[in-house]
Amino acid sequence: DKGVCIIMNMKKHFELGMMHLLESKSIDSITVGELIEEVESSKGSFYKYYLDKYSLCCAALQSYVYNQISVDVDWETFLAQCLTAFQNNAKVMNHAFDSKDINSARNHYENYLSQKLMCEFAKNGGNAALEINRLTIKLYSYAVTELISRWLASGCEDDKEEVFRLICAAAPQLVFGQLRARTA
C-alpha cells in the first residue's frame, strides 16, 4: 500500500510539474532536465514512469483536463465539453498542442477523437466500408484538432460556440450522417 502511494504521489508530482511548465512554455521547449528540476527528482524516477516528456504531457492532460470530459455522451456534448475544458486551460493546451511529434498531445487528442467517433459509428451500426470510415474519421479528427489548436493559439479569441459550429460544419457527410442518425 505504501509503495503504491509513493508511486502515485511521484506521478502526480511529475504531472503537476508538467502542467506548471506548460503554463509558460511549449512542450517542445521543455526538457526532461527542467521537469526533473521542477519536481526535485531524478532522471531514473522520471524514466521509471514515463517514456518521454510527451507521455508525461499526455498523462498530465488526462489527469487535469480530459477528466472533465465525459466519453459516454453524444458527439456534440462531448465536443462542447472538450472546448470548455480546453478554454479553461487555454495556455496549457496551446503549449501542449504546439508539437506535431508522433507522441505529442496533439496526436494523442486526434486519436482520442477518432476513437470517440468510431464508437459513435459502432453504436449506429456504421460498419459499411469500415476502412473508408476510418480514413474519413482520421482526417476529420485531424481537421478538428487543427481548428482547436488555432483557436487556442489565438487565445480563444473566437467565441466557443462559433468554433463549435465550425467543427460541426467541417464534418464530412459520412460522419455527419452517422452522428445525426444517433441523435434522431
Side-chain angles (χ1 to χ4, degrees), residues 6-70:
I6 292 170
I7 290 170
M8 294 306 291
N9 286 338
M10 197 68 223
K11 285 184 171 185
K12 187 173 228 39
H13 212 64
F14 275 116
E15 290 172 3
L16 286 170
M18 174 58 82
M19 293 296 284
H20 181 257
L21 289 172
L22 285 171
E23 283 285 335
S24 60
K25 299 177 82 167
S26 74
I27 184 66
D28 283 342
S29 66
I30 295 172
T31 66
V32 172
E34 283 177 293
L35 286 163
I36 291 165
E37 188 177 312
E38 177 75 21
V39 299
E40 300 175 350
S41 188
S42 67
K43 271 190 179 183
S45 290
F46 176 83
Y47 286 111
K48 180 177 180 179
Y49 304 114
Y50 303 102
L51 178 64
D52 55 23
K53 65 183 178 180
Y54 300 108
S55 65
L56 169 57
C57 181
C58 291
L61 294 179
Q62 186 65 48
S63 293
Y64 298 100
V65 179
Y66 298 154
N67 68 349
Q68 302 168 38
I69 303 165
S70 176

Side-chain angles (χ1 to χ4, degrees), residues 68-85 109 113 116 120 160 164 168 179-180 182-183:
Q68 302 168 38
I69 303 165
S70 176
V71 291
D72 295 329
V73 294
D74 64 84
W75 170 249
E76 288 161 343
T77 304
F78 171 80
L79 187 56
Q81 289 177 357
C82 287
L83 292 175
T84 298
Y109 183 70
L113 287 178
K116 172 63 177 166
E120 294 293 313
K160 181 174 58 174
F164 179 81
C168 290
L179 295 175
R180 284 290 164 226
R182 178 150 188 256
T183 58

Side-chain angles (χ1 to χ4, degrees), residues 108-139:
H108 181 263
Y109 183 70
E110 284 176 32
N111 291 329
Y112 188 65
L113 287 178
S114 292
Q115 289 172 357
K116 172 63 177 166
L117 284 168
M118 286 303 290
C119 287
E120 294 293 313
F121 265 55
K123 288 176 186 174
N124 292 326
N127 293 328
L130 190 58
E131 287 307 310
I132 293 172
N133 292 349
R134 281 193 180 131
L135 179 58
T136 302
I137 287 169
K138 185 69 179 161
L139 291 170

Side-chain angles (χ1 to χ4, degrees), residues 83 147-148 151 158-167:
L83 292 175
L147 281 167
I148 290 172
W151 176 61
D158 293 330
D159 184 53
K160 181 174 58 174
E161 285 72 29
E162 180 60 25
V163 175
F164 179 81
R165 282 190 291 278
L166 283 171
I167 291 169

